[in-house]
Amino acid sequence: MKVCVVLGTRPEIIKMSPVIRELERRKIEYFVIHTGQHYSYNMDRVFFEDLELPEPDYKLDIGEKYHTHGSQTGEMIKGIEGILMKEKPDVVLVEGDTNSVLSGGLTAVKLHIPVGHVEAGLRSFDRRMPEEINRIVVDHISEYLFAPTEVAKENLLNEGIPEDKIYVTGNTIVDAVYQNLEIAKRKSKILDNFSLRRGEYIVITFHRAENVDDPERLKKLVGMLNMLEYPAIFPMHPHTKNRIEENGLKINNPNLIVTEPIGYLDFLLLLANAKLVLTDSGGIQEESNILHIPCLTLRDNTERPETVEVGSNIVVGVDPKNVINLANEIIVDKEKFNEMSSAPVVYGDGKSAKKMVSVLLGEKDGY
Ligand code: UD1
Ligand code: UDP
């Protein structure tokens, strides 16, 4: 069995790391194609260093040169095709819903190579999101659908995907958190570096196209940042930074630390010790559930409804007053805080990658 892993962005590197570790542990032949969709040191290399991942075998140079969906996707397909034709893997694994995932999946299926989709079946039911299109397409061309939860499996069944292709494995983000939290506790000095006190600050991230490419929503989010009255830290995604500058918006709040994006070990420790997180990130909605940190999602919908159902996450939107009022309520109301932070983990037991590799090897007892 020869496995190809295609990845290209920050969350894919993090969520594929447990799969790569498992392939290594079981001495399975594999190679990694990095599309280069993310390319800045702090969006890319830092994760290979923090997670002690081997260098990708192939690196395309897409993100820095191509910025539109069509050109990014087309160039990635061209690059991936030549490599797959040469390497002839038995399966191509992709994770999530980015343009790199779409390109990896499409290229493989057209060469008749089976696709394994890690994190299959998520749906926001909002087709304006590029991620929703990517995940629907990739789910429908995959042979192995690794659904993190029963909810995700149900979404796939509702779209007519045969049950025998679907494996409920949990999400590899749990594996990544469990594998790295202790290391982060030993190594990271992030709290001291920013003079933050455990349990006494908010972590904020947003980068999603629907928020930052829409000037009205972006203005509201920046307005919210400027209204915060509680200590907070905002590691700013480069996409967000560019849009804030282009729109001439100013972040100005002495309670808020604005930083560059930070490495995984630092981010895990930062999140694990926060009072609350405000985010539009998919991965961070999951991690807040795993780490028992209340989460307010800065969107109008989520493809992670399980977190809302168990009570660790509330979809709040982007209206500054709504966000600030709800954040303040969670900070002062102990009962509400305890309720949110004691919600059960919904994404599995941290053995998702092991289960996926067992499925690929046809081991019935491993899954
Ligand atoms: C992409 C994914 C999104 C995912 C996010 C993870 C798509 C359509 N979107 O969004 O689903 O949640 O990654 O973070 O695939 N940039 C840099 N350095 C980098 C990367 C990006 O400066 O290393 C800047 C560039 O100006 C680039 C812009 O950010 O044009 C957007 O990057 P892109 O990869 O297109 O989209 P993301 O917003 O990162
Ligand atoms: N993350 C990080 N540093 C940061 C912000 C996020 O390491 O400064 C990690 C976070 O822990 C999570 C992943 O990046 O695992 C989420 O990526 P992102 O929000 O970019 O993408 P999404 O999950 O929304 O696709």
Side-chain angles (χ1 to χ4, degrees), residues 74-212:
E75 291 297 326
M76 284 184 209
I77 289 175
K78 266 203 250 171
I80 296 168
E81 186 176 57
I83 302 166
L84 294 185
M85 285 169 79
K86 185 176 104 191
E87 290 277 359
K88 299 187 173 43
D90 298 299
V91 63
V92 170
L93 297 180
V94 292
E95 189 288 327
D97 52 24
T98 67
N99 289 344
S100 296
V101 176
L102 177 67
S103 309
L106 274 179
T107 314
V109 76
K110 283 179 172 277
L111 292 169
H112 307 292
I113 302 168
V115 178
H117 189 199
V118 178
E119 201 178 88
L122 274 61
R123 295 292 181 269
S124 65
F125 302 100
D126 178 355
R127 289 206 178 194
R128 288 168 309 169
M129 294 176 68
E131 293 87 357
E132 184 77 352
I133 304 300
N134 292 345
R135 50 174 97 94
I136 291 173
V137 171
V138 174
D139 281 339
H140 283 263
I141 58 175
S142 292
E143 279 306 306
Y144 301 95
L145 293 109
F146 298 115
T149 64
E150 291 294 335
V151 173
K153 177 177 177 176
E154 204 55 40
N155 289 335
L156 296 168
L157 291 175
N158 287 341
E159 291 176 15
I161 291 177
E163 189 163 13
D164 60 359
K165 290 186 177 180
I166 307 170
Y167 305 88
V168 179
T169 53
N171 194 312
T172 56
I173 192 67
V174 186
D175 311 26
V177 169
Y178 291 172
Q179 286 167 11
N180 293 292
L181 188 58
E182 289 309 313
I183 304 172
K185 282 181 189 164
R186 273 202 314 277
K187 287 195 179 168
S188 172
K189 304 269 175 291
I190 187 94
L191 268 62
D192 289 345
N193 292 350
F194 286 110
S195 307
L196 291 166
R197 295 221 295 253
R198 285 182 66 168
E200 295 185 19
Y201 59 90
I202 303 174
V203 174
I204 306 170
T205 82
F206 57 85
H207 70 279
R208 223 159 257 288
E210 80 217 52
N211 280 336
V212 302

Side-chain angles (χ1 to χ4, degrees), residues 10-11 14 47 173 207-208 235 261-264 267 281-284 287:
R10 168 167 81 182
I14 294 167
F47 300 102
I173 192 67
H207 70 279
R208 223 159 257 288
I262 55 185
Y264 192 54
F267 193 82
S281 159
I284 298 170
E287 286 166 335

Side-chain angles (χ1 to χ4, degrees), residues 151-293:
V151 173
K153 177 177 177 176
E154 204 55 40
N155 289 335
L156 296 168
L157 291 175
N158 287 341
E159 291 176 15
I161 291 177
E163 189 163 13
D164 60 359
K165 290 186 177 180
I166 307 170
Y167 305 88
V168 179
T169 53
N171 194 312
T172 56
I173 192 67
V174 186
D175 311 26
V177 169
Y178 291 172
Q179 286 167 11
N180 293 292
L181 188 58
E182 289 309 313
I183 304 172
K185 282 181 189 164
R186 273 202 314 277
K187 287 195 179 168
S188 172
K189 304 269 175 291
I190 187 94
L191 268 62
D192 289 345
N193 292 350
F194 286 110
S195 307
L196 291 166
R197 295 221 295 253
R198 285 182 66 168
E200 295 185 19
Y201 59 90
I202 303 174
V203 174
I204 306 170
T205 82
F206 57 85
H207 70 279
R208 223 159 257 288
E210 80 217 52
N211 280 336
V212 302
D213 292 351
D214 176 338
E216 283 311 305
R217 289 178 77 91
L218 182 63
K219 221 166 141 187
K220 286 184 181 171
L221 284 166
V222 172
M224 181 277 290
L225 293 178
N226 289 337
M227 280 166 67
L228 286 162
E229 288 172 349
Y230 195 80
I233 180 163
F234 178 44
M236 188 158 39
H237 193 292
H239 189 165
T240 309
K241 188 174 183 204
N242 293 344
R243 292 292 181 260
I244 288 179
E245 284 169 8
E246 283 163 20
N247 283 279
L249 299 169
K250 293 270 173 293
I251 302 175
N252 185 5
N253 180 344
N255 295 312
L256 181 69
I257 300 165
V258 181
T259 76
E260 293 288 310
I262 55 185
Y264 192 54
L265 297 179
D266 282 339
F267 193 82
L268 258 190
L269 202 75
L270 194 64
L271 189 59
N273 287 293
K275 181 80 178 173
L276 179 70
V277 58
L278 310 181
T279 192
D280 66 7
S281 159
I284 298 170
Q285 290 175 64
E286 294 159 352
E287 286 166 335
S288 63
N289 168 261
I290 299 161
L291 293 166
H292 299 287
I293 306 301

